[in-house]
């Protein structure tokens, strides 16, 4: 089941225009990101970011991280990096609780977006997300949850599919096991 | 829009062949991609479920709305209920004044189109910038959307580059990628500059108090993130009960809209989220704007199930021919016809209501199971009550058709009077046709591009009296509902059907008291005549003892099966009888295949009709009765080879009086597509199961390619029997 969901996700995410790679650990992830961009990167604080020391792993590779408010990072910063809550196989989607503004900025304004997904969090289809989505919305706290399925796209001129309308023009999904099986954290 | 300006708009649109070509290419590609997107899923079951969810929301809407507001407020949102779009605009203008806000970055919202939001903001001294690429293009062009999902589908890259060049103050090349790149950089400044971000909402989730946005470009995410204030514009019908309902919508909406399994982004926002070190101010403006009235209309309320996928345009032959600026207002195509009537008034909707050809493609593709065509039909009744249906139809339906003897006498007279203009055909399938009308002024619209069918010298009802049915020990006896086309234009089809049935051991009875099914009157909105005609035929068939009533016209089948009881529902005694009659009626092909299992019998006979034929699916046969495999099975087993044409189930353009009286120019274009698809098969015989399609396709072929004949399936079966 795990392997099936993982390969379903990889297939579908690739179909919607993501670059999907399976990596050993976060060190490899940092290296991968450095190969794709010099930065500056928007890396928001989060539970998993702190737990795994993602920022220093990235800095070790020599890539630049943006310091200070992400609103000051320019209108089109080079890249953004986040973890994810879970993923949906059928549509190649990552689901990310983006309530902190830094998470939203890191996933909307950069040219390239890198997202780390633990394959154990992949559910089969949209209906498989109902439980987690309901749990994310328990209580009355403000909440901003994003489904992201590939890069920003448009077909508004002559119906020609064109990538990079307003959001990131590249989405790189880095599949790494052993990060977290908890759908409520990222 | 009055009738004259509608007609002018139609002519202008028809002159724009590029638009029609674009919409056809789009429509063709859409069908293929959509089928792939639904592979492995049960669309019918999914849409029934979603329809039921939206119905439950309708019933409980007041409680759900209160629940939504309570939860949204608990999460820090401010909720305002606007009774109309003006109140909604005023609310935003006043909010902007209070905040000292000068600019709004807005993402796509159909209800903001309905509100003419940008114009209202400009009047209040506020600059509102569209950030959806298509909407921004239209804003620069000063135009309105011509499609729900692809607003600028009517424009080409050269037009876009001219608009962008003007915006940039320098010349930009007409190349799509750099143009998208220009808008990416240019609009990025707007999000950062804007004081307020405005988005729509695809759903309002009652039990969370959150909204959902289904998008591809990412501009809604920027509009809801960068500005300090977020305003949500949403129609009250966007309510759903819970997250599960919303997720079920996301399973159907992208698949049906753009054939995507999911859009690039689905964004779920609840309450006042963090913003620039503080908290965002979020205002949700819930807009009624005629929706409550629509909810109260039993006949039309299903329209509020709509999730705005735009598919009803993608498959609509009228939309494909004239585009959304003609066939629509703020909302376009089938759903637009209905919403225009309720949101902008019946007068505005009148020409749109009449422009529907009744092919039912929209009803078949709708992801929330709205029978759009039936609702439009009901609206047409309203339109006719209010605005009349024109003198010709008044005389034809009210004075003549209701009186069966007068109707039939007049038809006989007409059959003699048309003598001077009728020609006996010379081509393969040729029947009696009218090549030219003597009145020159009618030539362009009516006979300039197709032959008109002529009235047969002897009607079926007369011929039947002389028909000898040699059936020893019949296996069953069926009644025959002949319909006007079968009775007066193509009586030979009925005769051949009787011969085929006799050969298979079935006897046919024909009650002479039957009259027109009433659909032509009903489709013109003349319900009274429809009722009267229904009573006449119900009575005629109550007098005979048969298990099945066969029809060779799928529109008649629908009329008898679906509409008789509905039309007579206020007269319980008649309604009861109509139900009994309605349950017995079916198309001749469906009877032969599904009741008699005729294809097995035909195969056993080893018939040698070696000819290749192509098959055209009549709208009301396929989408009215679900019959499409049956005639093909019959033809194949009778020895014919069926070679499929492209888009065999796309309307032929007939639509009854639509092609004769009201919209011949639109019909002409739709028929031209059909003829091209037929010619591309290189087959010389096109089979149909509908006299209306025979008139249209046969008539157009008569003018455009006389080597191809159009015949009824019953005729081909009779030919292979040699009867």
């Amino acid at each position: 089941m795990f392997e099936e969901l993982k390969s379903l996700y990889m297939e579908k995410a690739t179909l919607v225009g993501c670059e999907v790679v399976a990596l050993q650990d976060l060190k490899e992830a940092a290296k991968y990101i450095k190969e794709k961009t010099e930065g500056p990167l928007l890396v928001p604080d989060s539970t998993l970011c702190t737990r795994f020391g993602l920022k220093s792993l990235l800095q070790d590779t020599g890539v630049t991280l943006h310091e200070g408010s992400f609103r000051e990072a320019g209108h089109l910063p080079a890249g953004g990096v986040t973890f994810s809550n879970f993923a949906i196989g059928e549509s190649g989607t990552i689901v990310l609780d983006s309530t902190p503004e830094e998470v939203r900025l890191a996933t909307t304004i950069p040219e390239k977006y890198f997202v780390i997904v633990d394959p154990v969090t992949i559910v089969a289809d949209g209906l498989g997300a109902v439980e987690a989505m309901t749990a994310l919305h328990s209580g009355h706290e403000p909440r901003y949850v994003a489904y992201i399925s590939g890069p920003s796209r448009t077909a508004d001129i002559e119906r020609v599919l064109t990538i990079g309308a307003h959001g990131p023009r590249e989405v790189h999904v880095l599949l790494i096991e052993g990060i977290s099986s908890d759908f409520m954290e990222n | 829009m009055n009738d004259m300006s509608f007609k002018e708009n139609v002519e202008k649109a028809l002159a724009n062949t590029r638009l029609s070509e674009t919409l056809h290419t789009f429509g063709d590609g859409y069908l293929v991609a959509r089928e792939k997107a639904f592979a492995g899923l049960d669309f019918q079951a999914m849409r029934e479920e979603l329809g039921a969810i939206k119905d439950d929301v309708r019933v409980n809407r007041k409680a759900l709305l209160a629940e939504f507001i309570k939860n949204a407020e608990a999460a820090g949102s401010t909720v305002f209920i606007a009774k109309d779009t003006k109140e909604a605009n005023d609310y935003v203008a006043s909010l902007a004044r209070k905040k000292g806000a000068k600019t709004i970055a807005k993402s796509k919202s159909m209800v903001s189109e309905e509100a003419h939001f940008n114009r209202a903001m400009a009047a209040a001294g506020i600059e509102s910038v569209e950030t959806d690429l298509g909407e921004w293009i239209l804003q620069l062009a000063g135009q309105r959307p011509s499609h729900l999902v692809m607003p600028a589908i009517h424009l080409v890259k050269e037009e876009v580059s001219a608009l962008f060049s003007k915006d940039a103050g320098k010349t930009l090349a007409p190349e799509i990628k750099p143009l998208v790149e220009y808008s990416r950089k240019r609009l990025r400044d707007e999000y950062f500059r804007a004081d307020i971000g405005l988005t729509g909402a695809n759903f309002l989730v009652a039990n969370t108090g959150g909204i959902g946005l289904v998008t591809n470009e990412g501009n809604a995410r920027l509009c809801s993130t960068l500005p300090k204030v977020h305003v949500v514009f949403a129609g009250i019908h966007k309510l759903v009960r819970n997250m599960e309902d919303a997720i079920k919508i996301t399973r159907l909406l992208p698949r049906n809209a753009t054939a995507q399994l999911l859009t690039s982004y689905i964004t779920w926002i609840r309450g006042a989220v963090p913003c620039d070190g503080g908290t965002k101010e979020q205002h949700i403006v819930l807009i009624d704007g005629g929706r409550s009235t629509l909810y109260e209309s039993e006949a039309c309320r299903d329209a509020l199930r709509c999730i705005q996928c735009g598919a009803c345009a993608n498959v609509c032959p009228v939309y494909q021919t004239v585009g959304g600026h003609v066939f629509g207002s703020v909302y376009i195509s089938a759903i637009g016809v209905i919403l225009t009537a309720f949101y902008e008034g019946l007068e505005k909707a009148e020409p749109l209501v009449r422009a529907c050809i009744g092919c039912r493609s929209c009803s078949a593709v709708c992801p929330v199971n709205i029978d759009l065509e039936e609702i439009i039909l009901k609206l047409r009744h309203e339109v006719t009550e209010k605005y009349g249906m024109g003198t010709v139809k008044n005389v034809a339906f009210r004075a003549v058709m209701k009186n069966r003897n007068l109707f039939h006498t007049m038809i006989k007279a007409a059959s003699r009077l048309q003598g001077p203009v009728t020609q006996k055909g010379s081509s393969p399938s040729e029947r009696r046709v009218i090549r030219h009308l003597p009145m020159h002024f009618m030539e362009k619209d009516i006979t300039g591009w197709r032959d008109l069918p002529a009235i047969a010298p002897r009607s079926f009802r007369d011929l039947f009296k002389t028909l000898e049915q040699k059936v020893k020990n019949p296996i069953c006896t069926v009644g025959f509902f002949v319909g006007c086309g079968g009775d007066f234009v193509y009586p030979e089809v009925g005769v051949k059907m009787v011969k085929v049935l006799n050969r298979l051991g079935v006897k046919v009875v024909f009650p002479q008291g039957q009259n027109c099914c009433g659909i032509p009157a009903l489709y013109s909105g003349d319900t009274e005549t429809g009722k009267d005609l229904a009573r006449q035929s119900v009575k005629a068939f109550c007098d005979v003892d048969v298990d099945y009533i066969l029809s060779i016209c799928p529109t008649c089948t629908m009329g008898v099966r679906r509409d008789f009881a509905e039309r007579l529902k206020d007269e319980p005694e008649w309604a009861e009888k109509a139900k009994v009659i309605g349950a017995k009626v079916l198309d001749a092909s469906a009877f032969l295949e599904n009741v008699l299992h005729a294809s097995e019998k035909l195969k056993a006979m080893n018939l040698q009709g070696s000819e290749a034929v192509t098959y055209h699916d009549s709208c009301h046969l396929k989408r009215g009765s679900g019959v499409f495999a049956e005639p093909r099975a019959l033809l194949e087993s009778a020895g014919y080879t069926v070679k499929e044409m492209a888009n065999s189930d796309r309307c032929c353009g007939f639509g009854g009086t639509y092609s004769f009286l009201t919209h011949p120019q639109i019909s002409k274009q739709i028929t031209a597509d059909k003829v091209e698809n037929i010619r591309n098969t290189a087959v010389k015989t096109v089979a149909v199961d509908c006299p209306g399609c025979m008139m249209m396709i046969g008539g157009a072929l008569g003018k455009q390619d006389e080597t191809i004949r159009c015949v009824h399936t019953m005729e081909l079966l009779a030919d292979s029997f040699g009867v």
Side-chain angles (χ1 to χ4, degrees):
Chain A
M1 194 62 193
F2 169 76
E3 285 303 326
E4 271 169 37
L5 285 175
K6 187 174 161 186
S7 60
L8 173 71
Y9 176 82
M10 290 180 82
E11 181 202 334
K12 297 296 181 180
T14 307
L15 271 179
V16 294
C18 296
E19 288 283 331
V20 188
V21 287
L23 301 173
Q24 279 307 310
D25 53 29
L26 285 167
K27 211 172 157 190
E28 256 190 48
K31 210 172 126 218
Y32 176 92
I33 293 167
K34 162 77 174 147
E35 277 165 20
K36 301 288 174 189
T37 177
E38 291 294 321
L41 290 175
L42 307 189
V43 188
D45 286 322
S46 74
T47 310
L48 296 177
C49 182
T50 311
R51 185 181 304 159
F52 291 101
L54 179 66
K55 284 187 187 178
S56 43
L57 286 173
L58 283 164
Q59 274 163 334
D60 289 348
T61 66
V63 74
T64 319
L65 304 192
H66 173 80
E67 307 280 347
S69 163
F70 290 179
R71 283 180 178 260
E72 308 301 324
H75 287 188
L76 289 154
V81 188
T82 71
F83 288 86
S84 60
N85 290 65
F86 64 101
I88 303 170
E90 173 191 59
S91 50
T93 304
I94 69 103
V95 180
L96 175 63
D97 178 0
S98 312
T99 309
E101 183 176 79
E102 305 276 91
V103 176
R104 267 177 283 142
L105 291 171
T107 55
T108 52
I109 58 174
E111 295 287 275
K112 298 180 183 183
Y113 171 47
F114 302 87
V115 56
I116 299 152
V117 176
D118 187 329
V120 81
T121 63
I122 298 167
V123 298
D125 54 24
L127 292 175
V130 170
E131 197 187 323
M133 284 299 288
T134 304
L136 277 170
H137 286 85
S138 64
H140 290 294
E141 290 301 307
R143 190 71 66 195
Y144 194 117
V145 182
Y147 277 26
I148 301 173
S149 314
S152 155
R153 65 191 69 220
T154 185
D156 273 352
I157 305 178
E158 294 191 358
R159 299 166 292 111
V160 174
L161 175 66
T162 312
I163 297 299
H166 295 288
R169 59 177 90 237
E170 288 180 22
V171 174
H172 299 262
V173 180
L174 319 178
L175 289 172
I176 301 171
E177 288 178 35
I179 299 291
S180 170
S181 59
D182 184 350
F183 284 31
M184 294 299 111
E185 65 180 10
N186 69 67
Chain B
M1 184 165 32
N2 63 37
D3 225 30
M4 267 329 281
S5 74
F6 182 78
K7 212 173 165 197
E8 280 164 22
N9 287 341
V10 167
E11 300 219 341
K12 233 186 283 168
L14 289 174
N16 182 358
T17 51
R18 191 192 69 204
L19 173 67
S20 176
E21 271 168 33
T22 300
L23 298 177
H24 276 80
T25 314
F26 169 59
D28 290 353
Y30 165 78
L31 287 176
V32 177
R34 176 183 175 274
E35 197 172 308
K36 216 173 135 197
F38 277 106
L41 295 175
D42 185 344
F43 173 68
Q44 187 58 29
M46 286 168 83
R47 74 175 186 157
E48 280 171 17
E49 186 189 15
L50 205 49
I53 288 172
K54 296 289 267 183
D55 283 354
D56 189 64
V57 168
R58 169 175 53 76
V59 173
N60 298 307
R61 63 187 180 278
K62 284 178 186 141
L64 289 168
L65 195 66
E67 188 185 355
F68 174 79
I69 294 170
K70 186 187 75 166
N71 286 323
E73 286 175 347
S77 303
T78 306
V79 182
F80 176 72
I81 298 186
K83 73 170 190 301
D84 53 29
T85 51
K86 184 181 178 303
E87 272 194 12
N89 289 339
D90 290 348
Y91 180 84
V92 180
S94 134
L95 175 72
R97 260 195 310 277
K98 262 185 272 173
K99 303 258 116 200
K102 294 270 174 265
T103 58
I104 298 177
K106 79 180 281 290
S107 68
K108 193 170 160 57
S109 148
M110 281 313 294
V111 70
S112 76
E113 293 288 338
E114 209 179 304
H116 304 290
F117 178 80
N118 295 338
R119 210 161 65 199
M121 290 308 112
I126 303 154
E127 189 192 351
S128 169
V129 181
E130 296 286 351
T131 60
D132 173 85
L133 176 57
E135 296 283 347
W136 188 52
I137 293 169
L138 296 182
Q139 188 174 32
L140 293 176
Q143 296 182 359
R144 68 174 172 86
S146 73
H147 188 278
L148 272 171
V149 178
M150 313 214 130
I153 193 169
H154 58 283
L155 296 178
V156 291
K157 57 182 185 294
E158 286 74 17
E159 290 162 306
V160 176
S161 73
L163 293 164
F164 284 13
S165 298
K166 206 173 151 204
D167 181 74
K170 61 176 183 195
T171 306
L172 301 175
E175 290 164 35
I176 295 172
K177 234 180 139 177
L179 289 172
V180 172
E181 190 64 28
Y182 173 73
S183 77
R184 175 184 178 84
K185 292 215 171 82
R186 166 72 174 73
L187 291 171
R188 189 58 63 99
D189 301 339
E190 299 293 341
Y191 309 113
F192 277 90
R193 187 168 74 95
D195 304 303
I196 296 175
L198 184 137
T199 70
N202 290 88
F203 19 80
L204 307 164
V205 186
N207 79 339
T208 69
I211 67 151
L213 290 161
V214 179
T215 69
N216 270 315
E217 294 187 1
N219 56 319
R221 283 158 55 76
L222 288 158
C223 287
S224 60
T225 294
L226 285 164
K228 306 268 178 9
V229 180
H230 177 201
V231 175
V232 179
F233 248 38
I236 53 166
H237 67 296
K238 293 294 178 72
L239 267 177
V240 293
R241 300 167 303 191
N242 50 39
M243 196 54 87
E244 185 172 342
D245 289 353
I247 285 174
K248 281 178 176 161
I249 292 180
T250 67
R251 280 166 64 76
L252 273 154
L253 175 56
R255 283 184 166 93
N256 222 48
T258 48
Q260 288 176 282
L261 299 189
L262 218 53
T263 46
S264 291
Y265 306 108
I266 295 178
T267 308
W268 312 80
I269 309 171
R270 176 177 69 186
V273 293
C275 177
D276 202 12
T279 299
K280 186 177 292 276
E281 191 173 322
Q282 196 211 39
H283 297 258
I284 302 176
V285 183
L286 299 174
I287 301 162
D288 187 315
R291 288 162 179 78
S292 286
T293 314
L294 181 46
Y295 270 136
E296 296 302 329
S297 161
E298 205 178 318
C300 305
R301 64 194 185 192
D302 287 357
L304 283 174
R305 290 181 192 157
C306 179
I307 53 172
Q308 288 170 215
C309 69
C312 55
N314 302 352
V315 298
C316 171
V318 178
Y319 174 80
Q320 285 179 347
T321 304
V322 298
H325 284 161
V326 176
F327 194 41
S329 179
V330 170
Y331 298 93
I332 51 109
S333 189
I335 191 69
V337 173
I338 303 164
L339 297 184
T340 304
F342 280 85
Y343 300 168
E344 299 179 63
L346 200 57
E347 190 186 357
K348 182 88 187 276
E350 188 217 333
L352 306 178
V353 169
R354 295 190 204 272
C356 164
I357 197 168
C359 76
R360 299 188 56 73
S361 297
C362 51
S363 300
V365 82
C366 178
V368 277
N369 213 21
I370 307 171
D371 195 339
L372 294 143
E373 189 262 343
E374 198 177 325
I375 297 177
I376 293 172
L377 195 58
K378 288 170 183 163
L379 283 174
R380 197 169 302 159
H381 166 66
E382 302 261 321
V383 163
T384 301
E385 288 280 293
K386 210 162 166 183
Y387 303 100
M389 59 185 167
T391 323
V392 177
K393 285 185 179 177
N394 261 323
V395 174
F397 296 145
R398 297 224 163 116
V400 180
M401 282 180 102
K402 276 164 100 168
N403 181 332
R404 181 167 49 86
N405 286 329
L406 175 60
F407 178 34
H408 298 154
T409 308
M410 278 187 67
I411 284 190
K412 275 185 199 161
S415 124
R416 286 186 213 111
L417 286 171
Q418 75 195 0
V421 289
T422 311
Q423 295 192 355
K424 181 80 184 91
S426 51
S427 54
S429 70
E430 206 44 86
R431 306 175 197 255
R432 305 150 303 273
V433 294
I434 297 173
R435 287 232 185 272
H436 304 284
L437 286 172
M439 295 83 84
H440 180 69
F441 68 94
M442 287 177 79
E443 180 84 0
K444 178 171 153 246
D445 280 351
I446 309 289
T447 50
W449 51 280
R450 54 132 183 224
D451 298 334
L452 280 185
I455 291 162
R458 292 186 72 192
S459 63
F460 179 84
R461 58 183 64 233
D462 283 349
L463 289 173
F464 185 80
K465 292 174 190 157
T466 64
L467 266 182
E468 217 181 311
Q469 299 191 62
K470 289 181 197 146
V471 193
K472 268 185 253 159
N473 311 319
I475 53 171
C476 73
T477 301
V478 298
F480 180 37
F481 186 92
V482 67
C484 298
D487 204 356
F488 307 113
V489 182
Y490 302 119
E492 59 272 29
V493 173
V495 171
K496 297 245 166 139
M497 181 203 76
V498 173
K499 289 185 172 168
V500 167
L501 287 166
N502 286 173
R503 180 73 184 270
L504 294 165
V506 178
K507 209 172 156 235
V508 180
V509 294
F510 182 82
Q512 293 278 346
Q514 63 181 281
N515 202 342
C516 170
C517 70
I519 288 260
L522 210 63
Y523 271 49
S524 305
D526 183 358
T527 314
E528 268 315 304
T529 302
K531 279 185 189 172
D532 203 60
L533 292 169
R535 277 189 295 260
Q536 293 182 31
S537 293
V538 167
K539 180 171 184 312
F541 280 94
C542 280
D543 292 344
V544 294
D545 179 25
V546 290
D547 292 333
Y548 299 98
I549 299 168
L550 305 199
S551 156
I552 48 169
C553 168
T555 304
C556 295
T557 311
M558 261 176 62
V560 179
R561 182 191 291 150
R562 183 188 76 173
D563 298 336
F564 273 12
E566 170 69 23
R567 265 181 256 171
L568 299 172
K569 67 173 181 236
D570 297 332
E571 303 162 63
E573 205 178 314
W574 280 108
E576 214 36 59
K577 288 182 189 166
K579 262 186 219 158
V580 175
I581 299 299
K584 291 181 180 180
V585 72
L586 74 179
D587 291 284
S589 283
F591 172 79
L592 284 171
E593 186 57 13
N594 300 337
V595 180
L596 279 194
H597 307 291
S599 65
E600 285 165 31
K601 293 180 184 168
L602 294 175
K603 269 183 211 147
M605 291 179 190
N606 212 9
L607 298 166
Q608 300 294 326
S610 59
E611 197 185 348
V613 301
T614 187
Y615 188 79
H616 161 72
D617 290 284
S618 305
C619 296
H620 290 171
L621 188 67
K622 184 165 186 192
R623 289 179 290 273
S625 295
V627 174
F628 55 94
E630 291 86 345
R632 288 177 169 82
L634 291 167
L635 289 168
E636 292 273 1
S637 58
Y640 297 95
T641 309
V642 179
K643 190 172 176 202
E644 294 292 343
M645 68 177 90
N647 298 315
S648 65
D649 63 355
R650 191 172 288 167
C651 181
C652 71
F654 178 62
T657 55
Y658 190 94
S659 61
F660 289 115
L661 293 176
T662 59
H663 301 80
Q665 321 98 306
I666 296 179
S667 280
K668 176 185 175 183
Q669 203 51 50
I670 298 174
T671 307
D673 298 340
K674 182 55 69 177
V675 168
E676 195 188 323
N677 286 335
I678 293 169
R679 291 177 87 162
N680 286 341
T681 63
V683 163
K684 295 298 177 192
T685 301
V686 50
V688 299
D689 273 65
C690 168
C693 302
M694 287 172 74
M695 287 184 210
M696 201 65 194
I697 296 174
L701 287 170
K703 278 279 193 295
Q704 292 164 47
D705 191 339
E706 289 194 51
T707 65
I708 306 173
R709 62 175 184 151
C710 180
V711 287
H712 199 285
T713 300
M714 292 305 127
E715 296 180 276
L716 288 174
L717 294 181
D719 289 351
S720 70
F721 279 151
V723 293

